[in-house]
Amino acid sequence: MLKSSCHLSFKALFMGVLGSVAFNSAFAQMDHSSHMMGASSSKPTACTGSGLDCANAATPFFMADGKLLLAWTGGGVVSVAQSMDKGKTFSTPVVVAEHGKSLDTGADARAQIVADKTGNVLLAYAFFKDSNWNAQINIARSFDGGKTFSQPQSLVKDSSSQRFPSVVIRPDNSIFIAWIDKRLVADAKKSGQQRLGGSIAYSFSNDGGNSFTPELIANEASCECCRIGASLDPQGGVGIIYRAIFPGGIRDHATQIITPMGASKTQRVARDEWKTDACPHHGPTIAISSSGKIHVAWFTQGSARSGVFYASSSNQGEAYSKPQRIGAENANVSRPYLLAIDQSVWLVWKEFDGAKTSVYLKQSLDDGKSWSPPKVISATTGYGDHPLLVSHGKEVYLSWLTRENGYQLIPLNSK
């Protein structure tokens, strides 16, 4: 594997020459969300390289020593680079995997990367195994802080389909991973029955990703192509949110708290009453504060409400507050993301006005009881990835990749 201590300037990493070949057909097929959201900049422009300049999605993670790891997918390749100056410059990228057009780069798909306190790194991503969008989640490990990676291998032995991994590193250095699993769908098909959607599966690792506990199903009925939101719970578990399938084909959101002992019962976030067999490709987000309050945000086109909304729960999800609309009712809002530190909560989202896409931010200093007025913190007239929030200690940053301005790591509360 590649190994280098030299650093390239951010401009050199990002400012490549955009190609003229259309992006891979898997992304075109799997991204059905743009017509619903009306955001013409939701798909990346044609680009043939595998560098950050051609990336469609970039995922950050701060290691304990302050080093930033950035994992991205572009040109059918999964790459990782490091930054010691908070995203201003990056090391020479390490190519972790090459899958060409079979790499899963759908609207809600992105590589996941985490590291424990000793510097061991775990990377997870998915690729398609066939033309029916059956996928496999691969994991790769690094024992030198992301300079080199092991050969990727399948997360599970099941041969059906696994997509959209969501990975969390726990305070005890153990790893939690959840994903959309279709083994129950495959089993139903073998017996001549039809089963919609997928399931929420999960597993834990206590040895840095060398091995995982036998995978378990948290919910047997979920949307098959929306990302899972995950956040550490101060009581020791991991809170997840996902688009569940309720009786009658209703695709509303649900939360659960998962520990190594098992998953709590499914808690419905809101009765949006979105009855659809389509796949929104627009997953939710969750952040749990130090008080244990659960903060969630999601997109829906239900008969009860339509748009992007926020709600919270002070009793482990047994009851949620009345949904509050994010952005103006007539605004084209998408891709919310939440982060909580102590009882401070940050919320970002995208708005498209027909010409440019802006990232908005609002913050609560009192665990969601009140919020600051929304403000624009970045904008682009071209393609922009989902806005993400990442923290190091109590410092919070917006992580956003765009074609126009490159990769941005914008401090939100630095003194």
Side-chain angles (χ1 to χ4, degrees):
M1 293 297 174
L2 295 177
K3 183 176 182 178
S4 175
S5 60
C6 66
H7 282 69
L8 303 177
S9 70
F10 163 75
K11 185 176 181 181
L13 261 177
F14 197 87
M15 297 307 293
V17 178
L18 297 183
S20 59
V21 180
F23 58 89
N24 71 67
S25 60
F27 184 91
Q29 173 68 26
M30 299 310 295
D31 181 13
H32 303 301
S33 63
S34 59
H35 74 277
M36 293 190 297
M37 300 309 298
S40 63
S41 61
S42 63
K43 295 181 181 180
T45 53
C47 195
T48 58
S50 62
L52 196 52
D53 57 316
C54 286
N56 61 285
T59 306
F61 185 87
F62 270 111
M63 299 184 71
D65 62 2
K67 179 168 65 178
L68 178 71
L69 297 175
L70 191 69
W72 69 84
T73 51
V77 174
V78 184
S79 302
V80 175
Q82 313 159 53
S83 175
M84 295 302 298
D85 53 13
K86 298 178 179 177
K88 296 182 177 65
T89 61
F90 285 91
S91 64
T92 301
V94 178
V95 173
V96 181
E98 300 183 54
H99 291 278
K101 292 183 178 182
S102 65
L103 186 65
D104 188 356
T105 57
D108 253 3
R110 65 174 55 247
Q112 299 282 300
I113 190 165
V114 295
D116 64 23
K117 297 181 182 69
T118 64
N120 294 318
V121 182
L122 180 83
L123 177 82
Y125 68 91
F127 69 95
F128 294 111
K129 299 183 294 184
D130 55 40
S131 59
N132 294 319
W133 316 115
N134 291 310
Q136 174 178 308
I137 294 175
N138 271 359
I139 57 171
R141 303 166 68 205
S142 173
F143 307 101
D144 53 16
K147 296 176 183 177
T148 61
F149 280 83
S150 64
Q151 186 71 26
Q153 59 183 6
S154 178
L155 172 67
V156 299
K157 294 180 180 179
D158 180 79
S159 62
S160 58
S161 180
Q162 295 81 33
R163 292 184 68 191
F164 305 109
S166 181
V167 185
V168 174
I169 192 82
R170 301 173 73 215
D172 63 358
N173 275 352
S174 64
I175 297 168
F176 168 83
I177 183 168
W179 64 92
I180 305 297
D181 192 285
K182 299 197 74 171
R183 69 188 66 192
L184 298 182
V185 174
D187 290 345
K189 186 176 181 180
K190 290 176 184 177
S191 61
Q193 300 175 339
Q194 184 180 16
R195 188 185 187 105
L196 294 176
S199 303
I200 302 297
Y202 68 93
S203 181
F204 289 87
S205 174
N206 294 310
D207 55 12
N210 182 57
S211 63
F212 283 84
T213 58
E215 55 269 24
L216 296 173
I217 302 297
N219 189 332
E220 295 185 357
S222 74
C223 180
E224 64 270 35
C225 53
C226 289
R227 71 176 186 267
I228 302 168
S231 177
L232 288 173
D233 174 34
Q235 296 185 23
V238 178
I240 63 170
I241 182 171
Y242 52 90
R243 193 183 302 275
I245 300 180
F246 291 95
I250 302 297
R251 299 201 181 197
D252 285 350
H253 287 88
T255 59
Q256 289 177 273
I257 302 295
I258 299 178
T259 71
M261 302 300 293
S264 69
K265 67 178 183 179
T266 301
Q267 307 284 10
R268 192 168 184 166
V269 172
R271 291 189 173 273
D272 299 328
E273 305 297 342
W274 190 3
K275 186 174 183 178
T276 178
D277 289 336
C279 210
H281 293 265
H282 201 301
T285 179
I286 183 172
I288 306 179
S289 69
S290 59
S291 71
K293 191 173 185 178
I294 301 175
H295 303 265
V296 295
W298 70 97
F299 163 75
T300 183
Q301 287 190 330
S303 60
R305 64 184 58 84
S306 181
V308 177
F309 295 87
Y310 160 86
S312 63
S313 172
S314 299
N315 54 9
Q316 295 276 285
E318 290 185 17
Y320 278 91
S321 62
K322 181 180 178 180
Q324 302 174 31
R325 182 177 297 278
I326 297 173
E329 186 168 0
N330 60 349
N332 196 333
V333 178
S334 65
R335 308 303 176 186
Y337 199 88
L338 284 157
L339 184 145
I341 296 178
D342 295 330
Q343 294 186 34
S344 292
V345 187
W346 286 262
L347 170 63
V348 293
W349 66 91
K350 288 166 64 170
E351 287 193 18
F352 182 62
D353 65 4
K356 71 178 185 300
T357 299
S358 299
V359 173
Y360 282 78
L361 163 73
K362 65 179 183 178
Q363 182 186 4
S364 172
L365 299 175
D366 54 12
D367 220 0
K369 295 176 184 176
S370 62
W371 293 84
S372 64
K375 64 178 180 180
V376 176
I377 52 177
S378 192
T380 184
T381 57
Y383 170 73
D385 187 16
H386 306 347
L388 304 177
L389 294 169
V390 63
S391 63
H392 180 241
K394 294 190 177 183
E395 296 178 348
V396 178
Y397 300 84
L398 169 72
S399 172
W400 198 33
L401 173 73
T402 71
R403 284 282 188 270
E404 186 177 46
N405 300 314
Y407 178 72
Q408 304 168 68
L409 190 71
I410 301 174
L412 302 182
N413 67 339
S414 298
K415 301 293 184 181

